[in-house]
Amino acid sequence: MKKSNRFRSILAGLAAGMLVIACSSDDDNKTDNGNTDNTLPKNETWVIYNGAANWSGGVYALRDNKSREINLSGLPFLQLAYSGGGRTLDKTLFKVNDVSNTKQGINKMGFNAAGNVVDQGFLPSLSNAYETNYLIASATEGYYWDKVRGGLKLQKFNPSTMERTGEIDFSSLSEGQPLESVGQLIIAKRDNKLYLDLLLGSKAAGNWQVTPVTKEVAIVVYDLTANKIENVTKLPGTTNLGVFIDHVLWSLDEVTKDLYFATVGDMKTQPADYSSKILRIKSGATTFDTTFAIDMKTYQFPAEFNRLFAYNNKVYTTIPSRAVSYYGGGQHGVKYRDDVWFWNEIDATSKKATRLNIPVDNFYCNQNPFIHNGEIYFLSNNATDGFSGVTQYNPTSGATKETFRLKESGRILGFNIIKD
């Protein structure tokens, strides 16, 4: 064989070998859902709740098959009649109501040997309505509200065994109103003290919210060490702390240790004098900071704050681009679930709001942002861009990056990251 022919043969062989290597590398990078991405962390599991317009769907666990574009079709999942997202403690998941959404209470989920989400227990509530707010404080310490056991009583339970362990009685706070509750919408813990919303009032016809007899908000501070009420702090100028039982509207700033609470006011009448606000109880305090309030009227009105996350003296929430009304079905032709909700970062000192480079949202998902490895994660759904997915934001650099988006897999209704 001539030298030139031998050289060409060697080159052809090398090229074929490189092609085989390249194809092999591509195959190695392919995930179970047909996408290719080898840059995602391997030491964590992505928990994804998806759902349709009626919030039914499933909860999925992705570990080695994570990708930037996820088609959930064919992946194992736990079917949920209500898939509105949940909360985590280590490698355990919790959500309101059982998987069939026919029993009221707290559902516990975990992972089987294959890494798939499975049902692991249920703590029933005696209430026959969608009304079981809860807090998972540790593996053995949990609290929940059960109207049937008493609106002014907070129930205690063990999240490991999913058994009720007792209650805390706040009946001394009664004023004899038709509807009275402690911890119905806010159950927070800081410095071994519970911070619970106190609501005393009644319901008007056609209004699912409780109308307080006094136009104010109140937080009960309960000392778990001394087992007694330490304080009841009140603040006028707004009403209705929180909104739905599975819709957390409080946040503990892990840097400053300040506690933030969102009030929605009266979502039916939307009075300007008692507008939606974000309030604060500073680190070490047991009273509202009377010098502080972030008022929705500053940015848009009528509207309400409906998401809340605080980190390093910044507040993260959505602000609508137009006036909206949950009850009216639309203000100026805009509905509450239209693509009008934009994620913002609000400086807690200056109150300046900065719109983030994150896809607009339509409020089918009510999960708050969360921080993981120094990045804050935000969920969005919209029809404008056909987007359902997660965006991460670096609060130091201000950079945003799409974490992933769902492809032909319904809306994203919840997202958690579970570390190995």
Side-chain angles (χ1 to χ4, degrees):
M1 182 182 293
K2 292 182 180 180
K3 184 183 292 186
S4 60
N5 289 338
R6 186 184 302 119
F7 182 68
R8 280 195 293 270
S9 297
I10 292 172
L11 286 177
L14 287 172
M18 291 175 67
L19 180 60
V20 170
I21 293 172
C23 291
S24 175
S25 177
D26 284 345
D27 289 341
D28 289 342
N29 285 342
K30 285 187 179 296
T31 64
D32 290 348
N33 50 18
N35 298 288
T36 301
D37 196 308
N38 200 33
T39 65
L40 296 171
K42 300 293 185 182
N43 62 342
E44 61 187 38
T45 297
W46 287 357
V47 175
I48 297 173
Y49 294 79
N50 82 322
N54 65 352
W55 288 273
S56 65
V59 54
Y60 299 74
L62 284 75
R63 189 181 185 280
D64 296 328
N65 55 345
K66 296 189 291 291
S67 60
R68 296 294 182 187
E69 188 175 76
I70 298 174
N71 189 328
L72 296 171
S73 177
L75 298 182
F77 67 100
L78 178 63
Q79 180 73 47
L80 301 174
Y82 174 70
S83 184
R87 308 174 201 176
T88 66
L89 178 70
D90 298 327
K91 296 183 180 181
T92 306
L93 314 174
F94 298 90
K95 65 177 290 292
V96 296
N97 299 348
D98 68 341
V99 294
S100 65
N101 206 38
T102 58
K103 297 178 182 179
Q104 313 306 312
I106 307 166
N107 207 112
K108 178 182 177 181
M109 300 170 290
F111 304 93
N112 62 15
N116 303 324
V117 180
V118 292
D119 196 351
Q120 288 190 336
F122 182 68
L123 176 67
S125 166
L126 297 180
S127 299
N128 59 359
Y130 183 62
E131 48 188 18
T132 308
N133 182 28
Y134 68 100
L135 171 71
I136 309 295
S138 74
T140 57
E141 181 189 5
Y143 305 91
Y144 69 103
W145 185 80
D146 187 337
K147 181 180 179 180
V148 173
R149 291 189 182 274
L152 290 176
K153 295 180 179 180
L154 186 71
Q155 306 305 310
K156 301 191 290 185
F157 78 105
N158 185 324
S160 294
T161 63
M162 295 300 283
E163 293 177 338
R164 177 177 173 270
T165 57
E167 66 185 17
I168 305 173
D169 194 341
F170 295 94
S171 299
S172 62
L173 300 176
S174 175
E175 293 182 359
Q177 299 300 320
L179 293 172
E180 300 184 328
S181 65
V182 168
Q184 182 177 1
L185 295 172
I186 301 288
I187 307 176
K189 183 183 177 184
R190 181 185 67 181
D191 299 332
N192 211 38
K193 297 175 183 179
L194 293 175
Y195 294 77
L196 315 163
D197 69 300
L198 172 63
L199 193 52
L200 308 170
S202 60
K203 282 186 180 180
N207 190 340
W208 52 261
Q209 285 181 290
V210 173
T211 301
V213 64
T214 303
K215 296 295 193 297
E216 63 186 9
V217 290
I219 288 283
V220 179
V221 183
Y222 184 81
D223 189 320
L224 290 166
T225 303
N227 292 317
K228 68 176 185 179
I229 298 173
E230 180 173 336
N231 190 31
V232 178
T233 180
K234 301 178 180 181
L235 196 68
T238 186
T239 61
N240 298 94
L241 283 157
V243 57
F244 304 127
I245 59 166
D246 62 337
H247 188 174
V248 180
L249 283 182
W250 65 269
S251 181
L252 174 63
D253 186 328
E254 292 293 347
V255 177
T256 66
K257 303 303 179 183
D258 295 336
L259 261 174
Y260 291 84
F261 306 90
T263 74
V264 295
D266 186 325
M267 296 177 72
K268 187 175 182 65
T269 62
Q270 295 183 300
D273 292 344
Y274 299 96
S275 56
S276 176
K277 293 181 174 69
I278 294 174
L279 308 176
R280 179 174 68 186
I281 297 180
K282 290 186 67 63
S283 176
T286 59
T287 59
F288 280 117
D289 180 356
T290 58
T291 68
F292 176 87
I294 296 175
D295 195 328
M296 177 56 89
K297 291 201 307 291
T298 304
Y299 316 104
Q300 185 61 266
F301 193 78
E304 297 86 25
F305 291 113
N306 54 32
R307 264 73 66 95
L308 178 63
F309 176 68
Y311 182 75
N312 199 19
N313 212 39
K314 301 289 194 303
V315 173
Y316 298 90
T317 188
T318 47
I319 298 174
S321 57
R322 300 280 298 277
V324 291
S325 171
Y326 188 89
Y327 272 93
Q331 288 277 3
H332 313 296
V334 178
K335 296 181 179 179
Y336 214 81
R337 302 198 193 282
D338 284 346
D339 298 340
V340 296
W341 300 95
F342 288 88
W343 287 105
N344 280 259
E345 176 186 80
I346 303 177
D347 185 282
T349 302
S350 68
K351 313 298 190 303
K352 178 183 178 182
T354 303
R355 183 180 290 185
L356 301 177
N357 183 27
I358 294 173
V360 63
D361 182 66
N362 54 26
F363 195 64
Y364 274 91
C365 168
N366 59 34
Q367 182 180 321
N368 293 320
F370 65 92
I371 192 161
H372 171 69
N373 289 344
E375 303 254 309
I376 301 175
Y377 290 75
F378 299 81
L379 280 64
S380 299
N381 293 285
N382 66 60
T384 301
D385 306 311
F387 180 85
S388 288
V390 176
T391 305
Q392 58 197 85
Y393 166 71
N394 187 312
T396 302
S397 68
T400 58
K401 178 174 68 175
E402 185 175 303
T403 309
F404 70 87
R405 65 173 62 199
L406 295 183
K407 178 182 180 183
E408 300 171 357
S409 299
R411 296 185 177 95
I412 188 162
L413 297 180
F415 175 60
N416 308 121
I417 299 177
I418 307 295
K419 296 180 182 178
D420 286 353

